[in-house]
């Protein structure tokens, strides 16, 4: 007799709203589902160009392609004909994007109905625990469930691959590996010995003000910034176009523009730097696994709703000091008073070692909530 269990299939629908964050999260989730859990994943993406920047193997004009064992489909529009046979066992819409109506109709035709999840955005706000895993009845006897990532055991947890911690420690403990990784971007031995900062932020971040403080400070700082990030401030500092490979030193500060790098290398960049500026959701979570101090630039929302989210995180985050909170609020323009960057930086820099030690505890705390991918599959089993 053949007891071979057929492979669970999963369809993940992703609309790219915030440049790389959305596809960054979906691609990470897809790969982990496939590599660690043997799930057959089809990833529907509307913007293959953004996808290609974090995953160079992507062909931008293929309707359907295989990357590893993940099937990637170009989600062009809301049209398209689907039958029950096209529907996966688990269907995930990321960030409440609308699945094509014909796909939903086919979901209703399928027996049994698929598990339908809306994977929500990450927030530290209190209400998330109450909404996590709630059912939402839909037409045609379908039920959709809300699945929230989060920072507590009453949420879905955070995305984290099973070998990540070991990989990070092995890399960070190998000075040669760190040096050779950074040297491919032109980082010199002298810069290796300086305070190394990675910078990823939205265009409105007060980068120029910080550069001024850094270049006039007494401590050598090397700032590594991906091409296209903070372009205005970086060009002003360099005195030329901010293309990959461009670099300039003024006073104590050296700025280097890096090519946009694939996800595994971005992790290494976070591991190799002493301080990481991150943004959105994907790099924000990766910075928490890097065991280094970080400053988060939150995705701006109307009526400053993002400030509520920022404060909720700062209240929950345990690897923090008053200076980190003040820096974060100022960086996100969430303070009323004029900002004295020199003073804020001096206090924060003095706390950085302490913060690095506390981030190890935070990491372990987050690890205890389990990882998002495993939690999601466990939940899907309970509602099947």
């Amino acid at each position: 007799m053949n007891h071979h269990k057929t492979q669970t299939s999963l369809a993940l629908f992703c609309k790219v709203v915030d440049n790389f964050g959305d596809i960054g999260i979906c691609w990470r989730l897809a790969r982990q589902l496939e590599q660690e859990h043997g799930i057959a994943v089809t990833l529907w993406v509307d913007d293959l160009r953004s996808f290609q920047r974090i995953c160079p193997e992507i062909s931008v004009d293929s309707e359907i392609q295989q990357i590893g064992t993940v099937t990637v489909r170009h989600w062009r529009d809301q049209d398209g004909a689907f039958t029950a046979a096209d529907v996966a066992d688990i269907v995930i819409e990321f960030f409440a994007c609308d699945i094509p109506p014909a796909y939903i109709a086919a979901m209703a035709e399928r027996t049994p109905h698929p598990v339908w999840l809306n994977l929500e955005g990450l927030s530290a706000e209190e209400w998330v625990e109450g909404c996590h895993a709630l059912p939402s009845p839909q037409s045609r006897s379908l039920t959709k469930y809300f699945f929230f990532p989060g920072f507590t055991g009453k949420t879905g947890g955070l995305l984290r691959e099973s070998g990540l911690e070991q990989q990070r420690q092995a890399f960070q403990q190998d000075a040669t590996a760190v040096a050779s990784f950074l040297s491919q971007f032109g980082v010199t031995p002298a810069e290796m010995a300086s305070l190394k900062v990675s910078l990823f932020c939205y265009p409105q971040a007060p980068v120029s003000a910080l550069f001024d403080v850094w270049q006039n400070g007494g401590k050598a700082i090397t700032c590594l910034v991906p091409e296209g990030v903070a372009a205005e401030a970086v060009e002003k500092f360099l005195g030329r176009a901010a293309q990959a490979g461009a670099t300039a030193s003024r006073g104590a500060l050296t700025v280097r523009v890096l090519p946009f790098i694939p996800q595994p290398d971005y992790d290494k960049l976070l591991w190799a730097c002493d301080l990481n500026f991150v943004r959105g959701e994907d790099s924000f979570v990766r910075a928490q696994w890097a065991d280094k101090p970080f400053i988060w630039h939150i995705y701006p929302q109307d009526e400053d709703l993002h400030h509520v989210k920022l404060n909720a995180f700062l209240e929950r985050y345990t690897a923090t000091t008053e200076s980190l909170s003040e820096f974060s609020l100022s960086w996100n323009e969430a303070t009323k008073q004029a900002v004295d960057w020199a003073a804020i930086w001096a206090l924060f820099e003095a706390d950085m070692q302490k913060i690095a030690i506390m981030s190890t505890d935070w990491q372990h705390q987050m690890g205890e909530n389990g990882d998002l991918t495993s939690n999601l599959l466990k939940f899907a089993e309970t509602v099947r």
Side-chain angles (χ1 to χ4, degrees):
M1 279 174 72
N2 184 356
H3 289 292
H4 183 70
K5 185 168 163 283
T6 57
Q7 196 179 14
T8 301
S9 60
L10 182 145
L12 173 56
F13 287 83
C14 172
K15 265 204 181 356
V16 177
V17 182
D18 171 20
N19 307 42
F20 312 109
D22 306 332
I23 183 56
I25 294 160
C26 290
W27 180 228
R28 221 178 266 296
L29 176 64
R31 276 196 323 227
Q32 195 181 356
L33 284 162
E34 169 248 328
Q35 289 169 0
E36 294 181 18
H37 300 277
I39 306 283
V41 181
T42 301
L43 174 55
W44 292 83
V45 184
D46 66 337
D47 174 358
L48 294 175
R49 218 156 270 260
S50 288
F51 193 177
Q52 190 187 47
R53 291 198 66 185
I54 62 160
C55 176
E57 304 95 280
I58 286 289
S59 137
V60 291
D61 32 48
S62 294
E63 285 304 301
I64 181 163
Q65 55 193 306
Q66 289 288 127
I67 305 290
T69 60
V70 174
T71 303
V72 174
R73 302 201 54 160
H74 187 190
W75 177 12
R76 286 185 171 284
D77 49 42
Q78 291 301 77
D79 306 332
F82 298 95
T83 66
D86 298 319
V87 174
D89 299 320
I90 302 171
V91 177
I92 299 176
E93 54 185 52
F94 181 67
F95 246 37
C97 61
D98 290 320
I99 295 178
Y103 195 93
I104 295 174
M107 282 162 66
E109 297 294 306
R110 184 187 189 272
T111 350
H113 289 340
V115 175
W116 185 3
L117 304 176
N118 174 7
L119 178 57
E120 285 284 353
L122 174 63
S123 174
E125 292 165 285
E126 289 286 328
W127 61 263
V128 165
E129 293 186 344
C131 296
H132 176 60
L134 281 186
S136 163
Q138 307 288 312
S139 60
R140 305 192 179 99
S141 79
L142 289 165
T143 302
K144 173 161 50 172
Y145 295 88
F146 292 98
F147 199 88
F148 280 87
F151 302 96
T152 75
K154 293 182 182 157
T155 67
L158 299 172
L159 268 176
R160 187 185 79 251
E161 299 80 7
S162 61
L164 190 68
E165 175 106 352
Q166 290 82 345
Q167 281 174 323
R168 174 186 64 76
Q169 286 177 341
F171 179 80
Q172 287 177 337
Q173 285 158 11
D174 181 350
T176 319
V178 174
S180 77
F181 173 75
L182 289 176
S183 70
Q184 67 179 314
F185 305 117
V187 175
T188 65
E191 290 162 12
M192 277 297 303
S194 69
L195 182 77
K196 296 176 294 300
V197 180
S198 79
L199 178 66
F200 192 35
C201 58
Y202 295 110
Q204 62 277 26
V207 174
S208 285
L210 198 55
F211 279 1
D212 287 347
V213 170
W214 286 348
Q215 95 183 49
N216 295 312
K219 189 183 186 90
I221 295 180
T222 303
C223 180
L224 305 172
V225 53
E227 192 170 24
V229 173
E232 220 172 291
V234 173
E235 282 179 8
K236 194 178 111 184
F237 182 85
L238 296 175
R240 66 190 185 93
Q243 286 159 322
T247 180
S249 299
R250 294 169 197 279
L253 174 62
T254 299
V255 174
R256 283 190 175 277
V257 182
L258 308 191
F260 209 88
I261 52 182
Q263 281 183 332
D265 279 349
Y266 182 69
D267 277 324
K268 287 183 176 169
L269 179 66
L270 296 174
W271 300 344
C273 288
D274 305 298
L275 168 62
N276 296 303
F277 286 80
V278 290
R279 74 177 205 193
E281 183 174 325
D282 187 49
S283 59
F284 168 49
V285 172
R286 300 319 275 186
Q288 295 177 56
W289 303 133
D291 217 20
K292 303 279 185 155
F294 69 88
I295 296 288
W296 180 33
H297 202 205
I298 188 168
Y299 189 66
Q301 288 176 297
D302 293 340
E303 292 169 10
D304 291 339
L305 280 178
H306 56 298
H307 292 164
V308 177
K309 280 191 173 158
L310 175 66
N311 279 302
F313 174 70
L314 290 172
E315 274 163 38
R316 203 175 280 286
Y317 187 47
T318 55
T320 191
T321 60
E322 206 174 315
S323 67
L324 185 143
S325 282
E326 196 186 343
F327 196 123
S328 302
L329 293 168
S330 303
W331 188 244
N332 285 278
E333 295 167 341
T335 51
K336 296 284 175 273
Q337 65 269 43
V339 176
D340 177 349
W341 281 109
I344 288 180
W345 171 250
L347 290 170
F348 175 66
E349 197 206 345
D351 280 345
M352 268 173 45
Q353 253 177 318
K354 190 162 71 179
I355 293 165
I357 292 163
M358 294 191 293
S359 19
T360 307
D361 285 343
W362 172 256
Q363 233 186 346
H364 292 150
Q365 237 175 291
M366 292 304 100
E368 279 165 19
N369 300 329
D371 74 283
L372 180 93
T373 305
S374 308
N375 291 342
L376 186 142
L377 291 174
K378 277 186 206 126
F379 176 72
E381 281 300 313
T382 67
V383 294
R384 257 191 144 130

